């Protein structure tokens, strides 16, 4: 494969889980995670060591030659946040499908009924989507949506404002109105480990202000939400993400998805993508 | 009553569902089963040396077996009792097969997945045969005309079988039985198990 897919950083494990050696897959290749005096060791099955980065509670590695550092989320460093390792869930779908679903705000009322959305509040207002050239990221801003229970710490319905950011092909960051601190954003991420082109391991991670919930409650809330997505993701056809926009008709709510697909095409990312019409 | 609970656990859902259907309030105590394995933490092991969830605490009584919990919740509710013993054992085997297949597929547990699915399919065939017999006798539930703890015990791991890669498409009697359970007043959902939608109910 001559595309750029392998030259990025991918999450492969939790830093909080260092005592458990782990065998897993990355781009169809077996890799192993262990830990010694020097830190984490990630190896291919032939014994070749891979580079690592420790960030956002996760261990990251790459099979290719990344010419860039892993992205940062400066907002997550403000003090007082709870950094939440949600843990991984495996899904039989393309890694890109998992990210695309995370970016799709229109599914909230139907898939996360009465939690992240509710009928009849199903409209999505106009918002702004752009590919930021300097940083080479996809951003959607000024996204406003009615939510019955936007976070574990939210009582009753509120109009929630969001920003979506795609800083790497299989990673998405959601910035969301923070009920207890209106001037800050809660941060919810989806880091996706590509196992194969049609199978992925999804590592949600959060940096939240929430003084009412226990860690177990915050983890449970996000796992509940993601499991609702999982059943949708496993039933999507095709399992790979079509990059040809002609195949599915976009609506206002899909603008972020359209920008995401266009950006993947532009950076030459094909792993988990369907390039030709089925 | 306090339920030490994990949101994605079929066995914890069993207890939440039984309490909801019988109008009893549970205080839920979330446990970080995944990824932190908090159910194996020293505090939790003090409550349940077996290191499993759910755990149900009713004042001084601590229960760690979900069948005991179902019996406890319905001890004064004869309408929820039937010829349940065999089915409570059956529910345990569903948990060891379909339940483990699901933990393998969703959370990456190490399991002999082919064996788990194969044994799970065998159990689904037994369940389908029994429920078909029941229908011939004019009954929709496992032990009679009305649901008992037998149904509640067997329902979650059956309904969640697709999460573990086992399809329910070929079991019409199981599907009817699940619809009957999903339409019960007070029914609650969990990811992968939905209440009956109005459209579906009108089909
Ligand atoms: Fe979702």
């Amino acid at each position: 494969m001559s595309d750029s897919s392998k030259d990025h950083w991918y999450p492969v494990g939790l830093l909080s889980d260092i005592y458990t050696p782990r065998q897993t897959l990355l781009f169809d290749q077996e890799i192993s995670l262990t830990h010694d005096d020097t830190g984490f060791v990630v190896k291919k099955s032939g014994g070749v060591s891979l580079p690592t980065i420790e960030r956002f509670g996760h261990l990251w590695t790459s099979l290719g030659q990344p010419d860039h550092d892993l992205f940062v989320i400066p907002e997550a460093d403000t003090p007082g946040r709870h950094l939440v390792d949600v843990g991984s869930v495996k899904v039989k779908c393309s890694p890109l499908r998992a990210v695309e679903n995370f970016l799709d705000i229109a599914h909230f009322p139907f898939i996360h009924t009465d939690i992240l959305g509710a009928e009849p509040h199903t409209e999505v207002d106009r918002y702004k989507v752009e590919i930021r050239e300097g940083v080479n990221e996809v951003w959607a801003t000024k996204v406003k949506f009615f939510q019955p229970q936007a976070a574990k710490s939210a009582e009753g319905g509120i109009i929630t404002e969001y920003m979506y950011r795609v800083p790497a092909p299989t990673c998405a960051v959601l910035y969301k109105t923070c009920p207890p601190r209106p001037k800050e954003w809660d941060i919810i991420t989806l880091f996706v480990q590509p196992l194969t082109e049609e199978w992925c391991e999804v590592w949600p991670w959060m940096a939240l202000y929430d003084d009412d919930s226990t860690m177990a409650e915050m983890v449970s809330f996000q796992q509940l939400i993601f499991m609702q997505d999982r059943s949708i993701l496993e039933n999507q056809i095709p399992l790979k993400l079509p990059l040809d926009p002609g195949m599915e008709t976009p609506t206002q709510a899909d603008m972020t998805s359209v920008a995401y697909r266009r950006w993947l095409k532009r950076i030459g990312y094909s792993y988990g993508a369907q390039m030709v019409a089925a | 009553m306090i339920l030490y609970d994990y949101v994605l656990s079929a066995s914890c859902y069993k207890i939440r569902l039984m309490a909801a259907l019988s109008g009893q309030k549970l205080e839920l105590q979330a446990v970080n089963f995944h990824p932190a394995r908090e159910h194996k933490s020293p505090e939790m092991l003090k409550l349940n040396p077996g290191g499993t969830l759910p755990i149900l605490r009713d004042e001084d009584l601590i229960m760690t077996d979900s069948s005991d919990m179902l019996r406890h919740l319905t001890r004064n509710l004869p309408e929820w009792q039937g010829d349940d013993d065999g089915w409570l054992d059956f529910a345990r085997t569903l948990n060891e097969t379909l339940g483990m297949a699901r933990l393998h597929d969703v959370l990456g547990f190490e399991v002999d997945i082919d064996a788990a699915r194969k044994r799970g399919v065998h159990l689904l065939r037994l369940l389908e045969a029994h429920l078909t017999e029941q229908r011939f006798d004019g009954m929709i539930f496992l032990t009679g005309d009305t649901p008992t703890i037998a149904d509640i015990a067997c329902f979650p791991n059956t309904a969640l079988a697709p999460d573990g890669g086992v399809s329910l498409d070929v079991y019409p009697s199981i599907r009817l039985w699940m619809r009957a359970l999903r339409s019960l007043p007070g029914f609650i959902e969990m990811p992968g198990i939905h209440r009956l939608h109005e459209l579906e109910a009108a089909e």
Side-chain angles (χ1 to χ4, degrees):
Chain A
M1 194 165 36
S2 66
D3 75 354
S4 69
S5 304
K6 283 183 183 167
D7 299 326
H8 294 272
W9 294 99
Y10 295 96
V12 289
L14 274 178
L15 299 176
S16 57
D17 212 10
I18 51 171
Y19 301 109
T20 320
R22 177 174 146 84
Q23 298 285 333
T24 182
L25 289 179
L26 186 60
F27 288 85
D28 303 86
Q29 295 187 39
E30 282 181 26
I31 58 169
S32 65
L33 279 64
T34 50
H35 187 257
D36 66 18
D37 303 340
T38 61
F40 289 99
V41 181
V42 179
K43 285 185 173 163
K44 290 206 277 192
S45 55
V48 178
S49 290
L50 297 174
T52 59
I53 289 179
E54 295 168 29
R55 196 169 295 169
F56 315 125
H58 290 75
L59 183 67
W60 302 71
T61 193
S62 178
L63 287 166
Q65 265 101 43
D67 59 0
H68 54 278
D69 186 19
L70 178 63
F71 62 90
V72 293
I73 309 175
E75 298 87 348
D77 294 333
T78 52
R81 287 176 188 268
H82 298 280
L83 306 181
V84 184
D85 294 344
V86 178
S88 72
V89 170
K90 288 181 166 175
V91 192
K92 288 191 196 74
C93 73
S94 151
L96 307 179
R97 278 279 191 201
V99 172
E100 188 220 23
N101 171 73
F102 185 77
L103 300 175
D104 169 27
I105 193 168
H107 79 283
F108 285 0
F110 308 104
I111 306 306
H112 308 298
T113 314
D114 298 335
I115 305 175
L116 297 185
E119 294 173 90
H121 306 277
T122 58
E123 292 114 71
V124 178
D125 288 336
R126 293 206 141 270
Y127 58 91
K128 190 172 171 225
V129 183
E130 63 190 321
I131 294 175
R132 292 191 182 166
E133 302 291 345
V135 285
N136 201 16
E137 297 183 352
V138 182
W139 279 81
T141 52
K142 301 192 170 73
V143 185
K144 291 198 180 69
F145 204 75
F146 176 85
Q147 292 202 328
Q149 188 197 349
K152 191 74 195 47
S153 59
E155 292 276 337
I158 46 169
I159 297 282
T160 309
E161 187 172 344
Y162 289 96
M163 294 191 291
Y164 286 94
R165 170 188 175 201
V166 182
T170 69
C171 296
V173 183
L174 168 62
Y175 299 80
K176 172 154 118 178
T177 315
C178 172
R181 301 202 189 191
K183 283 186 187 146
E184 305 276 1
W185 296 95
D186 272 340
I187 290 162
I188 298 168
T189 73
L190 202 74
F191 303 144
V192 184
Q193 174 185 353
L195 301 172
T196 73
E197 288 198 87
E198 297 186 349
W199 189 29
C200 60
E201 190 152 347
V202 177
W203 302 88
W205 180 79
M206 307 191 287
L208 308 178
Y209 287 110
D210 181 342
D211 296 327
D212 302 324
S213 308
T214 65
M215 184 58 86
E217 285 169 340
M218 291 185 271
V219 168
S220 295
F221 182 78
Q222 202 56 25
Q223 287 185 4
L224 175 95
I225 297 293
F226 189 72
M227 280 301 285
Q228 293 175 334
D229 291 309
R230 185 181 183 269
S231 43
I232 302 307
L233 288 168
E234 295 211 330
N235 289 304
Q236 274 177 334
I237 296 170
L239 287 176
K240 289 188 196 172
L241 182 69
L243 292 193
D244 178 2
M247 288 183 66
E248 287 168 35
T249 326
T251 65
Q252 169 68 27
D254 294 332
M255 288 196 359
T256 317
S257 163
V258 172
Y260 173 55
R261 295 176 198 217
R262 194 172 293 153
W263 177 72
L264 288 172
K265 224 172 166 173
R266 186 200 283 190
I267 65 171
Y269 198 96
S270 67
Y271 192 82
Q274 183 167 299
M275 306 303 281
V276 286
Chain B
M1 273 181 285
I2 301 173
L3 181 68
Y4 294 84
D5 184 43
Y6 173 53
V7 70
L8 301 184
S9 154
S11 300
C12 293
Y13 168 68
K14 222 179 259 186
I15 308 309
R16 295 197 298 270
L17 178 61
M18 188 67 250
L21 292 172
S22 57
Q24 299 179 70
K25 202 148 173 49
L26 293 177
E27 189 185 319
L28 298 181
Q29 176 88 42
V31 179
N32 191 340
F33 175 91
H34 174 80
R37 293 187 206 95
E38 206 177 40
H39 57 302
K40 307 279 190 198
S41 69
E43 293 117 82
M44 293 304 295
L45 288 176
K46 239 183 266 172
L47 268 177
N48 176 14
T52 57
L53 291 177
I55 303 168
L56 183 66
R57 178 175 206 160
D58 190 359
E59 300 189 351
D60 289 340
L61 183 63
I62 294 173
M63 288 156 276
T64 59
D65 176 278
S66 59
S67 300
D68 291 346
M69 298 177 209
L70 292 175
R71 286 209 180 85
H72 182 74
L73 287 170
T74 55
R75 66 198 181 284
N76 300 320
L77 303 169
E79 67 275 26
W80 283 98
Q81 300 165 11
D83 191 5
D84 301 314
D85 291 359
W87 290 111
L88 294 177
D89 288 339
F90 189 81
R92 213 180 308 263
T93 56
L94 287 172
N95 196 46
E96 288 160 2
T97 54
L98 298 175
M100 290 314 289
R102 177 170 171 267
L103 289 178
H104 171 275
D105 277 20
V106 178
L107 301 184
F109 276 43
E110 287 196 24
V111 170
D112 181 347
I113 185 63
D114 294 331
R117 287 198 190 122
K118 204 171 148 197
R119 286 179 58 212
V121 166
H122 173 69
L123 295 173
L124 288 176
R125 288 188 184 140
L126 293 176
L127 186 61
E128 174 71 15
H130 176 76
L131 287 166
T132 306
E133 289 285 326
Q134 290 291 91
R135 276 166 68 197
F136 289 150
D137 296 339
M139 291 180 284
I140 192 99
F141 296 104
L142 284 174
T143 72
D145 285 331
T146 58
T148 68
I149 57 173
D151 298 281
I152 305 308
C154 294
F155 171 67
N157 276 304
T158 303
L160 294 168
D163 274 355
V166 175
S167 167
L168 294 172
D169 290 351
V170 291
Y171 307 109
S173 296
I174 290 178
R175 291 163 64 88
L176 267 176
W177 168 72
M178 293 196 306
R179 274 174 75 137
L181 286 165
R182 287 160 60 213
S183 63
L184 291 173
F187 184 84
I188 53 167
E189 307 184 319
M190 76 165 274
I193 302 182
H194 306 288
R195 69 174 74 91
L196 207 61
H197 291 288
E198 283 161 38
L199 271 175
E200 241 183 303
E203 265 172 25

